[in-house]
Amino acid sequence: MKRFQLELARTLYRTSQIGHESSSYLLRSYSTALSNGSDYSFKSFNPHLYKGHNDFHSESVKTSTVRSTMASDMSIFMNHERMLSTQTQVKTPPAQARMRGTQLSITSPGFIYEPYKARVKIPLWKRLFTKSGWKRTKDDMMLEVKNAYAMAKLRRKGYSKHQVYNDAVKMYKEINTLIANGDKKSLRKAVTERMFSELKNEIKQRETALSKVYWELVEPVVKIRTLRARLIGVDKKDIEKVFCQLTLEILAKQKFEAYDSKGAVVTGDKNKEVLVRDIWVFEKSLFHSGAHWRLCGRISPDAVSLK
């Protein structure tokens, strides 16, 4: 408990320095190029440029009720027995809920809860001497507190940051390889139902233009860090029935090359390493026996980078 409080204090201190540095270089994601191929320029391979991609706007968070576990004030985190909750309206696709006898078993919430977006840095004087700055500091503090609470929950379940990052890198490599190979059968097990539907359509679109894709991850990855951690409750009578979502930024060197039906190289160069920045959201049930991490969404790096 003392360790949690100490970490929380450090987290709150960091909120005064919250900001997101803009990238000094332009990174084009070869991994997302694996699942699209309607054009032969790398820019067009970015799936976030296609209408209807996994953008997760708040407008989609409507209809049926799924309880989202979060903190509403500081006292919640000093006494775990007082954890409160709010009701979040979300749409849960039927494919992500399975019937077991007469009970409905949810295999995935089917959405990203509070999609990550970079916070615009504000000057210290504004934080200290203006009402808008005070409100911003409070909002930043609550975002960080929710991150700390979700990570603490994971640790209580036996997970360490090192273990989670190792699992994430393995999945990142596996999923990109499956996409490159067009292995939809194996891909279904590594992603959520909603994510599988999107990737399947993207692979189908790519295969109309490209016959083969080569992709390779240069290990180890350059950097991996947590941008956001959230818990999503599904049973208001049982606070242990939650899903955990981790938004991770992965910076890695990759090799990519695409071929047409005649075997000619269309784009890319498998002998050239390219630095790529991806933001993936991984999800895991903390109450299903044998549950494992799955990819539940991708967020465009351009959408979270400050201009």
Side-chain angles (χ1 to χ4, degrees):
M1 184 64 179
K2 291 182 179 180
R3 179 181 176 184
F4 176 78
Q5 293 176 345
L6 178 60
E7 180 180 342
L8 180 59
R10 291 173 178 170
T11 299
L12 298 181
Y13 172 76
R14 287 200 303 270
T15 60
S16 64
Q17 302 175 336
I18 285 180
H20 191 89
E21 63 279 3
S22 58
S23 299
S24 59
Y25 44 81
L26 179 65
L27 299 174
R28 289 298 176 187
S29 175
Y30 281 17
S31 61
T32 53
L34 301 177
S35 56
N36 280 293
S38 60
D39 195 297
Y40 293 152
S41 67
F42 277 115
K43 185 175 181 180
S44 69
F45 277 98
N46 191 328
H48 305 288
L49 301 179
Y50 286 86
K51 185 177 181 181
H53 184 66
N54 207 8
D55 290 326
F56 294 99
H57 296 295
S58 58
E59 289 80 6
S60 65
V61 187
K62 297 177 181 178
T63 333
S64 64
T65 302
V66 171
R67 178 174 150 272
S68 298
T69 305
M70 63 179 72
S72 65
D73 59 49
M74 289 295 296
S75 63
I76 296 170
F77 299 94
M78 300 306 163
N79 184 343
H80 298 302
E81 296 179 357
R82 294 186 57 201
M83 185 177 68
L84 303 180
S85 66
T86 60
Q87 297 295 323
T88 302
Q89 299 298 318
V90 301
K91 182 177 181 180
T92 305
Q96 300 186 185
R98 299 174 183 172
M99 294 298 298
R100 292 182 179 176
T102 58
Q103 294 184 338
L104 184 66
S105 176
I106 299 177
T107 60
S108 172
F111 70 105
I112 295 180
Y113 177 53
E114 292 188 351
Y116 176 79
K117 186 177 182 181
R119 305 282 282 177
V120 179
K121 190 174 183 179
I122 63 175
L124 181 60
W125 68 265
K126 191 171 184 179
R127 284 187 180 275
L128 296 177
F129 303 112
T130 66
K131 288 185 177 180
S132 62
W134 301 337
K135 182 179 184 303
R136 170 61 185 276
T137 298
K138 177 184 176 182
D139 292 342
D140 288 344
M141 180 182 70
M142 291 312 302
L143 288 174
E144 290 299 309
V145 165
K146 284 189 275 188
N147 283 340
Y149 181 76
M151 295 305 294
K153 184 80 170 181
L154 269 181
R155 282 193 293 272
R156 290 199 298 273
K157 292 291 184 177
Y159 295 95
S160 65
K161 180 185 290 187
H162 179 73
Q163 178 186 356
V164 170
Y165 283 0
N166 280 343
D167 290 345
V169 171
K170 289 179 182 178
M171 288 191 61
Y172 182 75
K173 180 179 180 180
E174 177 189 0
I175 292 172
N176 276 313
T177 300
L178 293 174
I179 293 173
N181 296 336
D183 187 350
K184 293 187 283 290
K185 182 178 180 181
S186 299
L187 187 62
R188 182 186 290 272
K189 301 176 183 178
V191 303
T192 62
E193 288 79 359
R194 175 172 179 168
M195 194 73 241
F196 176 72
S197 178
E198 294 183 6
L199 290 176
K200 181 177 65 174
N201 291 333
E202 291 173 7
I203 291 174
K204 183 178 180 180
Q205 181 183 21
R206 182 200 73 196
E207 290 176 342
T208 62
L210 303 173
S211 64
K212 184 180 178 182
V213 171
Y214 173 88
W215 181 88
E216 178 185 347
L217 176 66
V218 180
E219 299 184 82
V221 298
V222 177
K223 182 177 73 173
I224 181 170
R225 64 168 179 153
T226 302
L227 298 179
R228 179 153 294 178
R230 290 293 182 267
L231 298 178
I232 305 173
V234 295
D235 187 348
K236 63 182 180 181
K237 296 181 180 179
D238 188 348
I239 63 174
E240 294 301 317
K241 288 187 176 181
V242 296
F243 286 87
C244 180
Q245 289 183 349
L246 293 181
T247 301
L248 303 181
E249 178 187 49
I250 301 174
L251 190 65
K253 292 181 179 180
Q254 305 176 13
K255 297 178 181 180
F256 171 85
E257 196 168 271
Y259 312 89
D260 62 17
S261 58
K262 297 180 180 180
V265 177
V266 173
T267 188
D269 184 349
K270 67 179 181 180
N271 296 314
K272 181 181 179 181
E273 296 180 359
V274 178
L275 189 62
V276 175
R277 177 185 178 224
D278 277 320
I279 298 177
W280 283 20
V281 184
F282 295 94
E283 178 183 285
K284 178 181 173 63
S285 167
L286 300 186
F287 63 98
H288 285 112
S289 177
H292 58 275
W293 290 102
R294 297 191 296 172
L295 175 66
C296 70
R298 298 166 296 174
I299 300 176
S300 168
D302 294 336
V304 299
S305 296
L306 300 179
K307 303 297 184 182

